[in-house]
Amino acid sequence: MEERDLMLGIIGGSGIYEIEGVENGEWGKVSTPYGDPSDEIFTGALNNIKVAFLPRHGRGHLYSPSTVPYQANLYAMKLLGVTDILAISACGSLREDFKPGEFVVVDQFIDRTFARKKTFFDGKCVAHVSVAQPVCGRLGKLVKEAMSSLGIKYHSKGTYMTMEGPQFSTKAESLTYKNGWDCDVIGMTNMPEAKLAREAEICYASIAMVTDFDCWHPKHDNVEVSDIIQTLKTNASSGKDLVRTVTLMVDSIKKKCDQGCNVALEYAIISKPEMITLAEKERLGVITKRLFDK
């Protein structure tokens, strides 16, 4: 696979983007054909690695999981030159042994969202990318090594059930996801984020921070936001340490993606090239530029 100039994108909350040590850091507005991202993007260099921090819900938490502008967020990252994304998010646990305060390196998803734009190809250009392996194994391996070096308690794999929200699950739903579907954690944000990252040919790793047991648990059948926020504050410190450590170790994975995340569109576009209008090509912009400029 081809090498790229590595740039690390971090999508997460305020506890993650407020990180010390970023050189030449500045907030900047990025406009996209898919609208405005959740917020301005904070770019700079951390341990000599180019970084871009995007508050998923906006500073002040202004977007619900359903209204986050996922298309614009991923397009903006691509436009800035981001090659690899660490997606850090809060989640509920569907397992007794996945405890609050622990992290999960997600390897699979079940997408049960229904009110979101899930593809860049929603105009007159059709593409079908594979998301059989929805996260980048190369980047996930690095995250695990970083957490091991920090002594962070983590689980090396897990299936992330993505619900629409913004309400939490009913107990019947929670038990279905746990016992019927064999999911490990539940959250509201990683889909369609992971799918859009694949369409944008960006390597994507999902780090889920467990904040609570979902309501299936007999002793935790009423999820309280105040409890989640308290755990989030603790997790945020570990999350920042993780980002710093990843930037120190990222050269060890070089710039290649053996999984092929960075060429996911190579054979995915099935529309006849001569039938795709210039306007549609311009709208897709940096998503398909590599292919249409050949």
Side-chain angles (χ1 to χ4, degrees):
M1 300 297 175
E2 66 182 68
E3 289 199 355
R4 305 163 292 168
D5 291 329
L6 191 144
M7 183 176 187
L8 185 66
I10 298 93
I11 302 178
S14 59
I16 304 302
Y17 66 75
E18 292 169 348
I19 191 167
E20 301 80 15
V22 176
E23 298 178 350
N24 302 315
E26 62 178 357
W27 289 97
K29 181 177 174 59
V30 181
S31 297
T32 87
Y34 296 86
D36 292 332
S38 300
D39 205 328
E40 293 182 333
I41 299 176
F42 186 69
T43 58
L46 183 60
N47 296 316
N48 297 316
I49 299 297
K50 290 187 291 184
V51 291
F53 293 83
L54 174 60
R56 183 186 282 113
H57 298 279
R59 284 170 287 181
H61 211 102
L62 303 178
Y63 291 93
S64 80
S66 297
T67 61
V68 168
Y70 295 100
Q71 289 172 306
N73 285 353
L74 272 298
Y75 191 101
M77 286 294 204
K78 182 73 172 181
L79 191 61
L80 289 172
V82 168
T83 58
D84 297 78
I85 288 175
L86 298 184
I88 304 175
S89 59
C91 70
S93 172
L94 296 170
R95 292 178 52 155
E96 192 79 53
D97 57 333
F98 283 32
K99 296 178 172 59
E102 298 177 353
F103 286 28
V104 183
V105 183
V106 176
D107 68 321
Q108 282 294 334
F109 296 97
I110 292 179
D111 183 3
R112 294 291 292 171
T113 63
F114 54 82
R116 312 172 187 193
K117 296 271 192 176
K118 299 191 180 188
T119 179
F120 292 110
F121 297 92
D122 52 3
K124 292 186 176 180
C125 178
V126 179
H128 300 287
V129 300
S130 172
V131 287
Q133 303 300 325
V135 295
C136 180
R138 151 189 164 276
L139 194 55
K141 181 174 182 289
L142 176 66
V143 168
K144 294 172 197 176
E145 291 173 356
M147 287 197 285
S148 293
S149 72
L150 289 166
I152 294 174
K153 173 68 175 176
Y154 74 93
H155 301 273
S156 61
K157 64 179 182 178
T159 296
Y160 181 122
M161 162 67 201
T162 316
M163 63 182 292
E164 185 62 51
Q167 302 87 355
F168 294 121
S169 307
T170 67
K171 192 167 185 177
E173 289 169 335
S174 188
L175 286 168
T176 297
Y177 306 147
K178 178 185 186 304
N179 299 327
W181 295 2
D182 200 27
C183 298
D184 300 300
V185 294
I186 183 167
M188 302 180 189
T189 59
N190 276 198
M191 282 293 175
E193 202 171 78
K195 290 177 177 176
L196 290 165
R198 183 59 52 84
E199 286 189 346
E201 300 187 323
I202 299 174
C203 294
Y204 181 94
S206 171
I207 302 100
M209 305 187 300
V210 179
T211 59
D212 62 280
F213 288 108
D214 205 48
C215 64
W216 64 269
H217 199 291
K219 295 182 180 179
H220 302 270
D221 60 353
N222 186 20
V223 179
E224 296 288 350
V225 173
S226 58
D227 295 335
I228 292 174
I229 291 173
Q230 185 57 47
T231 306
L232 268 175
K233 289 178 180 178
T234 303
N235 284 353
S237 177
S238 296
K240 289 194 286 188
D241 289 341
L242 173 61
V243 171
R244 289 193 200 92
T245 303
V246 166
T247 59
L248 288 169
M249 300 172 64
V250 75
D251 278 345
S252 67
I253 62 170
K254 305 301 180 184
K255 301 170 184 177
K256 295 182 179 180
C257 177
D258 296 329
Q259 188 175 317
C261 301
N262 60 314
V263 290
L265 286 177
E266 193 69 32
Y267 303 106
I269 297 175
I270 63 173
S271 299
K272 290 185 177 181
E274 64 272 20
M275 298 296 290
I276 303 171
T277 66
L278 179 60
E280 184 64 12
K281 290 180 179 179
E282 289 178 345
R283 186 179 76 103
L284 287 165
V286 294
I287 303 301
T288 55
K289 179 177 172 61
R290 180 182 70 83
L291 297 171
F292 290 156
D293 282 0
K294 284 183 177 180

